[in-house]
């Protein structure tokens, strides 16, 4: 078997989208809003996953990087700076409490590729714009299947997450399809990733406002957030650093993959 000629496990190897697997960092700022939601809406989001229900709440977050190094294989100066919109649902798996990343939208292809390939973030491409002017910070996301807006007025008191609405570490469901069989899984695993431990971010209180807008297509990923009522918010900033994940469990493996592994070991 020929050895790999690159150290980046990107798909495909000859044309990597990203420059690293975890050694990226930058100055980061963002807003987070905790929504109270109907319990059945949250349970419906968790239903197709192995994660257990914790509370009828979800976090929506916008963040951006004024500086970012080590992520893109080129000097990224095109368009808006790298920005993200995410929806994080407090959940648990095997006694580990964290935040299931239910939705993720990014405005750069290199970050979308790494998040999906490596860790199982449900990244989709979208227009994501985040702006801070004085004490006001706004974020908006728009694509065929999602539109959402949030804003905060930044305070000056330090604030901690409500104890019932845990969001770190991030819980992810990483699924690789089987190329040889329709509607089949080659490998499925549950991953925990905790950038709160690798980063130096601080949060202060904020006064929130949110605005769900119907998606322009027949599919609306965020319709379950329409009834969300803001109950907590913060503005966070500081140095963000990437982190590797930790596999909590392998929940499905194709027999064909196991046969191939056995043949390699033989």
């Amino acid at each position: 078997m020929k050895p790999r000629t690159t150290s980046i496990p990107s798909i495909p190897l000859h044309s990597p989208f990203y420059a690293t697997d975890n050694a990226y960092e930058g100055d980061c700022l963002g807003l987070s809003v905790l929504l109270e939601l109907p319990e059945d809406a949250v349970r419906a989001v968790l239903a197709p996953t192995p994660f257990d229900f914790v509370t009828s709440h979800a976090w929506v977050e916008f963040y951006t990087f004024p500086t970012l190094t080590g992520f893109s294989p080129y000097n990224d100066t095109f368009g808006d700076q790298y920005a993200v919109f995410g929806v994080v649902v407090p959940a648990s798996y095997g006694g580990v409490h964290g935040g299931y990343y239910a939705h993720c939208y990014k405005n750069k292809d290199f970050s979308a590729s790494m998040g999906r390939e490596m860790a199982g973030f449900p990244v989709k491409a979208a227009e994501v714009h985040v702006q801070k002017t004085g004490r006001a910070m706004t974020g908006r996301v728009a694509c065929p299947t999602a539109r959402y807006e949030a804003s905060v007025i930044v305070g000056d008191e330090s604030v901690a997450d409500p104890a019932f609405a845990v969001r770190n570490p991030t819980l992810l469901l990483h699924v690789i399809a089987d190329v040889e069989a329709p509607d089949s899984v080659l490998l499925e695993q549950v991953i925990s990733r905790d950038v709160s431990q690798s980063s130096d971010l601080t949060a202060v209180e904020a006064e929130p406002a949110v605005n769900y807008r119907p998606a322009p297509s027949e599919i609306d990923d965020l319709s379950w957030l329409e009834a969300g009522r803001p109950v907590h918010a913060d503005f966070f900033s500081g140095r963000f650093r990437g982190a590797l994940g930790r596999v909590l469990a392998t929940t499905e493996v194709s027999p064909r993959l196991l046969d191939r592994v056995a043949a390699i070991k033989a």
Side-chain angles (χ1 to χ4, degrees):
M1 185 173 62
K2 292 174 59 178
R4 287 193 290 112
T5 57
T6 176
S7 61
I8 306 170
S10 183
I11 302 173
L13 286 174
H14 73 276
S15 183
F17 254 149
Y18 46 86
T20 179
D21 51 10
N22 73 311
Y24 63 94
E25 62 179 289
D27 297 312
C28 177
L29 66 156
L31 64 88
S32 296
V33 180
L34 180 64
L35 303 177
E36 184 178 45
L37 292 149
E39 181 175 324
D40 59 350
V42 178
R43 288 189 179 276
V45 170
L46 294 173
T49 78
F51 303 119
D52 295 324
F53 174 86
V54 170
T55 181
S56 54
H57 294 80
W59 294 93
V60 294
E61 60 182 22
F62 285 94
Y63 57 94
T64 188
F65 290 80
T67 67
L68 184 63
T69 60
F71 207 162
S72 170
Y74 53 87
N75 184 23
D76 179 42
T77 59
F78 179 78
D80 283 349
Q81 63 190 23
Y82 171 42
V84 182
F85 169 76
V87 182
V88 182
V89 180
S92 67
Y93 180 84
V96 176
H97 286 70
Y100 165 54
Y101 226 100
H103 304 288
C104 185
Y105 299 86
K106 298 187 176 186
N107 64 354
K108 300 291 181 179
D109 57 4
F110 53 80
S111 62
S113 180
M114 193 193 91
R116 289 184 72 98
E117 289 176 15
M118 291 191 60
F121 280 91
V123 184
K124 292 184 178 181
E127 296 177 8
V128 185
H129 183 75
V130 181
Q131 181 174 332
K132 185 175 185 295
T133 305
R135 294 177 56 228
M137 186 169 193
T138 60
R140 67 175 184 271
V141 60
C143 70
T145 62
R147 290 195 298 181
Y148 202 84
E149 300 168 345
S151 62
V152 297
I153 302 298
V154 180
D156 55 11
E157 297 290 333
S158 297
V159 65
D161 290 351
F164 63 86
V166 62
R167 53 174 160 169
N168 292 301
T170 300
L171 299 176
L172 300 158
L173 186 61
H174 187 212
V175 183
I176 301 175
D178 190 338
V179 71
E180 292 185 325
D183 304 318
S184 297
V185 171
L186 185 69
L187 176 68
E188 179 181 282
Q189 52 191 3
V190 177
I191 294 174
S192 168
R193 181 174 182 264
D194 198 348
V195 294
S196 69
Q197 297 300 308
S198 57
S199 303
D200 297 306
L201 300 173
T202 58
V204 296
E205 64 183 1
E207 182 179 344
V210 297
N211 182 28
Y212 158 80
R213 301 175 61 200
S217 74
E218 68 278 7
I219 296 175
D220 191 338
D221 292 337
L222 304 182
S223 60
W224 66 285
L225 297 179
E226 183 175 7
R229 181 176 68 88
V231 295
H232 174 92
D234 61 59
F235 164 77
F236 59 89
S237 60
R239 196 71 176 174
F240 182 100
R241 298 180 182 86
L244 291 172
R246 180 170 66 95
V247 177
L248 299 180
T250 299
T251 49
E252 188 171 350
V253 182
S254 164
R256 285 177 295 280
L257 178 59
L258 293 175
D259 290 344
R260 294 180 199 124
V261 171
I264 292 173
K265 291 182 176 180

